[in-house]
Amino acid sequence: MKKILYILFTIHCSLFTLLLLSACTETVSDAKQENALPQIYPDYLGVTIPVNIAPLCFNMADEKAVCVDAVITDGKGNSLHSQGEESVDFDIDDWHQLLAQNPGDSLCVTVSAKYDDGWHTYSPFSIYVSADSIDFGLCYRLIAPGYEVWSKMGIYERELSSFEERALIENTQFEGCVNCHSFNHGNPADMSLHIRGPHGATLLRHNDGPIAAYNTKTDQTLGLCVYPNWHPSGRYIAYSTNTTRQLFHSADSNRIEVFDTASDLQVYDVEKNELLLSRILKQDSIYETFPVFSADGRSLYFCAAKALPEGNHALDSIRYNLCRIDFDPTTGSFGNQIEMIIDAASQHKSVSFPRPSYDGRYLCYTLSDYGQFSIWHHEADLWLLDLSTGENRPMAGANSGDTESFHNWSANSRWLVVSSRRDDGLFTRPYFCHIDANGIVSKAFMLPQRNPRRFYRDRFLSFNVPEFIIAPTHFDGRKASRIINDPSRKDFGVRK
């Protein structure tokens, strides 16, 4: 009986395989030669990619093709071919072999598509393979793009050289929401993760030790610690404390404005379990937010805006400048003077999400018309500040006609992950661009997926706060959920 079942199973698998193969496997013949470049989704024409990225599978953009075919060749006589009904799906091993043979060189991609009137072959385009590798993976929150419903959300990690994704923790394991995940220069051995709701806590892991749950509110701070950023030594974490509100625009009921009514900065000493406070970073007349350490750990960058007078609700007049204060990691003390780095308010603009590159050369930030919650601002773009020369310019290759917001650097300071709504104006998706040693920014490309149109269309979720990770997190979600559901919390202390 077992033998019969095995034979039937083998026949079934063989028939299934034949059906898959017969779906769209034919020779491209009698094709009409088009003088135009192919319109594909995602747009991978002329992009620069890491030598270790997952295959760039794509669809035809118009959705009318019944079959799509792609041939990739290099200058050494190597080639790679894929064909499919909806998308091309390159063999992952062959793809990585081809990229490994061409670091610093370009690949030629020829696309053909079959329509009701037959095959069409388009002008070839190039993909440039950078010898600069990208980090192991990406960690992000998946969440509905609206404000009303977040009944299902979680923190996930994705391996960038493949399509493997796994959940670190989902809020089906407890009541509440997860956000503000952060790692030390992409090293998951140092990790901070916020839980909000009835089981609120900040989960911390230091030097790959056990996870502990903390209550970060003290009688000397406004509220809970948010927006974390690790000091390169791993000893300190910069946080802001924000009293946040949201409202709808009267002219656009689908647009939310998230804003602060108060905010301060502090630094947490992981080893001594102490918050380090400074009166200069706790001014009632100033909103301070988005703290981030410099590459050498001796400065703290942050965004600061003049607070609105009580009763004033002119939110479009709140504009944040980029500022800096000295920080001594030996003593855990702050400087006594704040330096303005970019006066955006004088240009009727506002800065958010400052992120210095880990090599200390550049600082990337988001520039919008006002406020600090730029994900809802369609005009928001990325800018690049050269910290060695002071040159300040928009990142044309990374920007689009829609929102560019949160972003982060790879460990080698050669890749930037960008949160963008350029795809459809609603869902936030991760894009990558290369920044070379001369500061030249390449055209951004979307996170690769198998059959990307079907993937992104079926997944009605935004990729929120993408963070690079240099290795798997090895985060035990079940253990973490037990810690979250346990009411006991450790309290943050405050330095006397």
Side-chain angles (χ1 to χ4, degrees):
M1 183 65 180
K2 288 184 179 179
K3 187 175 182 179
I4 294 173
L5 288 174
Y6 176 78
I7 293 171
L8 290 173
F9 177 75
T10 303
I11 293 172
H12 172 77
C13 290
S14 299
L15 289 172
F16 182 71
T17 302
L18 285 172
L19 285 172
L20 285 177
L21 291 173
S22 63
C24 183
T25 52
E26 57 180 276
T27 302
V28 177
S29 59
D30 300 323
K32 179 182 179 182
Q33 298 296 316
E34 304 286 355
N35 292 324
L37 292 167
Q39 299 297 308
I40 61 173
Y41 176 83
D43 177 10
Y44 290 140
L45 277 66
V47 298
T48 298
I49 62 173
V51 70
N52 58 331
I53 195 69
L56 300 190
C57 305
F58 59 84
N59 312 83
M60 296 303 293
D62 60 13
E63 302 188 48
K64 297 179 181 179
V66 295
C67 191
V68 56
D69 183 279
V71 178
I72 303 179
T73 58
D74 65 10
K76 306 176 183 67
N78 303 305
S79 65
L80 186 61
H81 177 245
S82 179
Q83 189 181 100
E85 278 188 341
E86 294 185 7
S87 70
V88 294
D89 184 3
F90 301 104
D91 179 87
I92 193 166
D93 293 330
D94 293 342
W95 167 269
H96 283 300
Q97 183 178 355
L98 185 64
L99 264 57
Q101 294 167 336
N102 291 278
D105 210 337
S106 62
L107 303 174
C108 180
V109 185
T110 302
V111 175
S112 301
K114 187 177 183 181
Y115 294 90
D116 290 341
D117 62 347
W119 284 99
H120 296 251
T121 298
Y122 299 88
S123 298
F125 64 89
S126 296
I127 292 176
Y128 303 93
V129 182
S130 170
D132 295 322
S133 62
I134 204 165
D135 292 344
F136 162 80
L138 204 63
C139 189
Y140 41 77
R141 180 171 66 156
L142 290 176
I143 186 171
Y147 72 100
E148 314 98 325
V149 180
W150 47 265
S151 57
K152 173 69 184 295
M153 69 166 66
I155 305 293
Y156 301 82
E157 71 177 28
R158 158 71 188 268
E159 186 176 3
L160 290 177
S161 63
S162 73
F163 302 101
E164 295 298 319
E165 179 188 76
R166 81 173 188 94
L168 273 60
I169 191 165
E170 296 174 314
N171 70 335
T172 54
Q173 299 167 266
F174 61 93
E175 184 180 358
C177 76
V178 289
N179 60 7
C180 289
H181 52 282
S182 178
F183 310 94
N184 182 11
H185 288 56
N187 187 349
D190 290 330
M191 180 178 181
S192 175
L193 174 64
H194 293 322
I195 309 297
R196 296 289 175 256
H199 300 281
T202 290
L203 302 185
L204 287 180
R205 179 170 69 185
H206 181 46
N207 286 336
D208 221 10
I211 295 171
Y214 288 84
N215 168 31
T216 63
K217 188 182 186 307
T218 74
D219 59 3
Q220 297 185 49
T221 51
L222 282 173
L224 298 169
C225 292
V226 295
Y227 304 143
N229 182 264
W230 286 82
H231 190 270
S233 69
R235 177 172 175 175
Y236 303 103
I237 311 173
Y239 288 108
S240 67
T241 299
N242 305 62
T243 303
T244 303
R245 300 287 183 269
Q246 69 177 22
L247 55 77
F248 290 97
H249 283 265
S250 58
D252 185 355
S253 61
N254 292 318
R255 179 171 169 180
I256 307 167
E257 195 62 51
V258 180
F259 60 97
D260 290 340
T261 58
S263 56
D264 292 327
L265 302 184
Q266 54 267 313
V267 169
Y268 176 62
D269 187 331
V270 178
E271 295 179 3
K272 293 187 176 181
N273 187 33
E274 290 180 340
L275 280 177
L276 314 178
L277 307 180
S278 169
R279 282 182 296 176
I280 199 173
L281 298 175
K282 285 171 57 63
Q283 300 181 60
D284 292 341
S285 61
I286 301 293
Y287 300 147
E288 305 99 343
T289 192
F290 298 137
V292 58
F293 286 107
S294 60
D296 63 5
R298 302 195 66 82
S299 297
L300 188 68
Y301 292 99
F302 60 96
C303 300
K306 291 181 180 179
L308 288 179
E310 188 173 349
N312 187 334
H313 301 294
L315 301 181
D316 57 359
S317 68
I318 301 177
R319 293 187 171 91
Y320 287 79
N321 296 318
L322 177 64
C323 299
R324 187 195 69 84
I325 189 171
D326 289 337
F327 179 77
D328 186 342
T330 304
T331 62
S333 58
F334 300 92
N336 54 18
Q337 187 175 8
I338 292 175
E339 178 187 3
M340 184 183 294
I341 304 300
I342 294 177
D343 183 1
S346 66
Q347 307 168 46
H348 300 286
K349 292 291 182 178
S350 188
V351 172
S352 58
F353 303 125
R355 285 294 183 274
S357 59
Y358 298 130
D359 61 6
R361 176 71 188 277
Y362 299 105
L363 185 146
C364 181
Y365 63 93
T366 304
L367 195 68
S368 56
D369 286 347
Y370 62 90
Q372 49 84 24
F373 205 76
S374 51
I375 195 64
W376 291 98
H377 284 247
H378 298 291
E379 81 283 356
D381 277 335
L382 297 185
W383 282 62
L384 192 67
L385 172 65
D386 189 323
L387 295 173
S388 63
T389 67
E391 181 191 11
N392 187 35
R393 55 189 167 87
M395 299 181 69
N399 292 325
S400 71
D402 213 305
T403 306
E404 272 70 56
S405 185
F406 187 86
H407 48 273
N408 227 321
W409 294 89
S410 63
N412 62 6
S413 299
R414 284 292 175 263
W415 298 96
L416 200 73
V417 59
V418 180
S419 298
S420 179
R421 288 190 170 176
R422 72 187 67 190
D423 194 26
D424 55 17
L426 177 62
F427 292 93
T428 308
R429 287 162 182 152
Y431 283 73
F432 303 94
C433 60
H434 182 256
I435 298 92
D436 72 10
N438 298 314
I440 297 174
V441 181
S442 72
K443 177 181 175 179
F445 67 94
M446 189 190 287
L447 174 66
Q449 306 287 354
R450 280 203 169 99
N451 197 335
R453 181 163 54 224
R454 182 178 292 275
F455 177 92
Y456 287 113
R457 182 173 291 173
D458 291 350
R459 179 174 272 190
F460 294 103
L461 297 170
S462 282
F463 290 73
N464 183 250
V465 190
E467 292 265 4
F468 281 111
I469 47 176
I470 62 174
T473 60
H474 299 301
F475 186 85
D476 189 335
R478 285 190 231 178
K479 185 175 182 179
S481 66
R482 290 196 296 269
I483 293 172
I484 294 167
N485 287 310
D486 186 326
S488 62
R489 299 287 183 266
K490 296 182 179 181
D491 290 325
F492 268 15
V494 178
R495 176 180 291 184
K496 302 298 183 183

